[in-house]
């Protein structure tokens, strides 16, 4: 028997995946969320489509390494290089779209990240020993039209536009696999929750789009409207990051369940995940926007910013009319004209400037420790905001917010930290919470979400 770290290495060795059990179709590994080294960062960027868009040169530039060094380290870890990993990802995306949607094969080629239809045909034939046409006929034998079927990975009937695709996003496990969608929209014009579906606008490398997510037993139904089908891979990956679908809840629960404080909460909710975000820059700007104000006030401020500085959609869809303002646009805004206290306006434009200039990176391959250090050096951004951005924008599974009011209140109700309302009492409780959380590494972000959920349940 031979063992390989991934589908790409097996394909490079000349193996083809079993067409019955599809081992190449397994979702992303939780390892790449946990690891903060160069290989982990590289894998997150490859999953986001950076190699398809910018090649290995662009990947190396994002990572701050020479191309040769990136190839060497990735190959040493995974048995193959970045190009082969991206190629395997393109092949898998192409197979899913070919077998589960009615998109024309010519559109699938570019949606999967191929540079040409010829390259698409050759890669699919080499990887699957079938042409794209044969793949589609195998999935849909007879005269049936794949667009007439529904379910995970099936297009809905009714003649959806060519730029709309629908698919199922599975998690790597089945126990507790149902994802929790955002329960209420953040900013009007950008997000909405309706009939159990979460919908929002999103800026992607080649244009804007709209995503629509609905939780189903065992998978998430995902519908995407894209200006450019080349953004499909990035859009799907960002949906996965939003819902933390590449996590392994069983591993998290198994570790936290041994703790006397968090253990009972983890066992009661074994599928709890740590949601990320579709856009790290947006999450960071919203975190500053919501400082020291209520959720309702933050939504009102956000709505005004979106209406004034957001990019209008070329094709609005109901209440979804704009993308959240880009960092460069907000960096150029006059702080005096922003509808908020001057201190927070300066913090917002300062953060936007750091993001626009490249001084601060919050993309999937960002170096988490460096990003936090840059954040803390910016005016108006303290430890809570920096840790929250690290947890949500950078999908760090081990971020902790020791001074968070919700965390401290939940721990006080559990009898784990001393209760108190004054500044001195809160400081003592925060110190105790930070010490307690050392036992929850490397899953402190999940512990935070367990505590928030516990407090919300008790306050109903």
């Amino acid at each position: 028997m031979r063992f390989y770290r991934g589908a790409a290495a097996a394909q490079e060795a000349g193996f083809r995946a079993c067409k019955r059990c599809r081992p190449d179709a397994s979702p992303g590994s939780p390892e790449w969320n946990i690891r903060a080294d160069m290989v982990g960062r590289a894998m997150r960027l490859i999953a986001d489509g950076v190699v398809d868009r910018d090649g290995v040169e662009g990947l190396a530039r994002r990572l701050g390494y020479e191309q040769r060094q990136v190839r060497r380290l990735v190959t040493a870890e995974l048995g193959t290089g970045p190009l082969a990993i991206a190629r395997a990802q393109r092949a898998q995306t192409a197979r899913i779209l070919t077998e589960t949607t009615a998109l024309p094969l010519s559109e699938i080629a570019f949606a999967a990240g191929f540079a040409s239809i010829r390259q698409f045909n050759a890669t699919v034939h080499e990887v699957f020993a079938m042409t794209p046409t044969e793949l589609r006929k195998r999935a849909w034998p007879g005269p049936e039209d794949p667009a007439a079927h529904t379910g995970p990975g099936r297009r809905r009937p009714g003649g959806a536009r060519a730029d709309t695709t629908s698919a199922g996003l599975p998690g790597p496990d089945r126990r507790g696999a149902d994802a929790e969608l955002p329960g209420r929209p953040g900013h009007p014009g950008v997000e909405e929750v309706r009939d159990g579906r979460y919908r929002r606008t999103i800026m992607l490398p080649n244009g804007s789009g709209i995503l629509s997510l609905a939780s189903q037993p065992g998978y998430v139904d995902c519908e995407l409207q894209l200006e450019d089908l080349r953004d499909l891979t990035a859009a799907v990956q960002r949906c996965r990051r939003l819902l933390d679908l590449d996590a392994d809840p069983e591993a998290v629960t198994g570790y936290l369940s041994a703790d006397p404080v968090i253990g009972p909460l983890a066992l009661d909710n074994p599928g709890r995940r740590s949601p990320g975000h579709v856009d790290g820059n947006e999450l960071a700007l919203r975190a500053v926007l919501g400082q020291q104000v209520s959720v309702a006030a933050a939504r009102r401020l956000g709505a005004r910013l979106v209406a004034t500085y957001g990019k209008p959609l070329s094709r609005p869809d109901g209440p979804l009319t704009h993308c959240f303002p880009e960092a460069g646009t907000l960096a150029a805004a006059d702080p005096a004209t922003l509808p908020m206290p001057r201190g927070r306006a300066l913090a917002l434009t300062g953060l936007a400037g750091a993001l626009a200039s490249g001084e601060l990176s919050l993309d999937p391959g960002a170096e988490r420790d460096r990003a936090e250090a840059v954040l803390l050096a910016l005016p108006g951004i303290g430890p809570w905001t920096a840790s929250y951005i690290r947890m949500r924008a950078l999908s760090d599974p081990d971020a902790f917010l020791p001074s968070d009011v919700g965390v401290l209140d939940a721990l006080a109700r559990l009898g784990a930290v001393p209760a108190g309302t004054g500044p001195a009492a809160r400081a003592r409780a925060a110190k105790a919470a930070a010490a307690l959380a050392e036992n929850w590494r490397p899953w402190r972000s999940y512990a935070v979400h367990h505590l928030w959920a516990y407090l919300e349940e008790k306050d109903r």
Side-chain angles (χ1 to χ4, degrees):
M1 297 182 68
R2 303 182 193 177
F3 295 89
Y4 297 91
R5 290 294 305 272
Q11 290 170 8
E12 286 285 289
F15 289 95
R16 292 193 182 101
C18 171
K19 292 185 176 66
R20 178 175 297 175
C21 63
R22 296 248 66 107
D24 57 329
S26 60
S29 169
E31 180 177 3
W32 310 127
N33 286 346
I34 300 169
R35 289 176 56 165
D37 61 356
M38 192 280 286
V39 175
R41 294 166 56 212
M43 290 299 289
R44 291 195 289 272
L45 286 170
I46 293 170
D48 195 58
V50 166
V51 172
D52 296 335
R53 297 190 295 271
D54 304 323
V56 178
E57 179 184 357
L59 175 68
R61 186 170 57 251
R62 296 276 196 101
L63 295 169
Y65 285 76
E66 294 290 334
Q67 290 186 55
R68 185 178 65 177
Q69 185 78 336
V70 172
R71 291 192 186 97
R72 185 182 69 80
L73 291 173
V74 172
T75 301
E77 284 274 343
L78 297 165
T80 192
L83 275 177
I85 295 170
R87 176 176 176 269
Q89 178 173 282
R90 288 195 296 269
Q92 175 62 10
T93 301
R95 183 190 69 79
I96 292 173
L97 292 175
T98 300
E99 294 183 340
T100 66
T101 80
L103 285 172
L105 295 177
S106 58
E107 293 185 12
I108 288 175
F110 297 108
F114 291 98
S116 68
I117 295 175
R118 181 179 179 180
Q119 184 189 61
F120 163 66
N121 289 331
T123 300
V124 169
H125 188 270
E126 181 181 346
V127 171
F128 302 112
M130 287 182 168
T131 65
T133 301
E134 289 170 338
L135 269 179
R136 176 157 282 177
K137 286 182 177 178
R138 180 177 179 271
W140 304 103
E144 295 184 65
D145 178 3
H149 292 259
T150 59
R154 304 291 184 242
R155 282 278 299 272
R156 289 181 177 78
R161 293 198 303 265
D163 64 351
T164 303
T165 61
S166 178
L169 304 180
D173 64 284
R174 280 296 171 261
R175 189 180 83 154
D178 293 351
E180 183 177 350
L181 301 178
R184 53 179 175 267
H187 295 314
V190 173
E191 295 173 296
E192 73 160 348
V193 176
R194 183 175 62 188
D195 300 328
R197 295 193 75 90
Y198 170 72
R199 302 174 70 242
R200 66 155 294 139
T201 61
I202 180 174
M203 279 301 300
L204 294 160
N206 298 297
S208 61
I210 294 175
L211 63 88
S212 175
L213 303 171
S215 184
Q216 304 291 340
Y219 72 97
V220 176
D221 181 68
C222 172
E223 183 174 294
L224 300 169
Q225 297 178 37
L226 305 174
E227 285 188 351
D228 192 318
L229 278 174
R230 291 177 298 172
D231 286 326
L232 179 66
T233 297
V236 169
Q237 183 62 23
R238 293 176 195 192
C239 289
R240 297 189 68 84
R241 286 169 64 83
L242 170 68
L243 302 178
D244 194 26
L245 291 185
D246 289 331
D248 184 353
E250 290 194 10
V252 178
T253 301
Y255 184 87
L256 294 179
S257 62
D259 185 81
V261 177
I262 290 293
L265 306 183
L267 290 172
D268 287 343
N269 298 277
R272 180 83 62 204
R273 298 175 188 266
S274 179
H277 204 271
V278 297
D279 188 318
N281 290 3
E282 177 186 328
L283 184 280
L285 293 166
R286 284 171 60 162
V288 172
L289 191 65
Q291 286 179 340
Q292 300 178 345
V293 296
S294 67
V295 173
R299 289 186 74 237
R300 288 193 296 271
L301 287 175
R304 293 176 65 180
L305 278 186
V306 167
T308 305
Y309 299 101
K311 179 182 178 181
L313 295 181
S314 59
R315 292 185 298 188
D317 189 345
L320 302 180
T321 58
H322 292 72
C323 286
F324 192 82
E326 297 184 35
T329 303
L330 290 178
D334 181 357
T337 65
L338 297 178
M340 62 191 72
R342 181 168 177 80
R344 197 164 354 125
L346 290 172
L348 186 71
T349 54
L351 171 61
L355 291 168
S357 68
E359 177 190 357
L360 173 63
S361 172
L362 297 177
D363 66 21
E367 205 170 345
R368 290 165 178 163
D369 288 341
R370 181 183 182 281
E372 183 175 20
V374 173
L375 283 166
L376 290 173
L378 294 173
I381 296 183
W384 185 95
T385 302
S387 296
Y388 180 76
I389 292 171
R390 181 167 180 157
M391 180 173 70
R392 293 286 312 279
L394 300 180
S395 297
D396 187 351
D398 196 36
F400 190 63
L401 288 66
S403 62
D404 181 78
V405 173
V407 167
L408 294 182
D409 286 352
L411 288 174
R413 294 192 191 192
L414 291 167
V417 300
T421 56
R426 285 288 182 183
R428 287 193 297 270
K431 184 176 180 180
L436 187 65
E438 290 298 310
N439 299 321
W440 306 334
R441 289 182 180 272
W443 308 115
R444 292 183 299 170
S445 295
Y446 294 86
V448 169
H449 284 284
H450 277 297
L451 293 169
W452 283 344
Y454 167 79
L455 190 64
E456 184 177 351
E457 181 179 330
K458 290 296 182 184
D459 288 342
R460 282 176 185 167

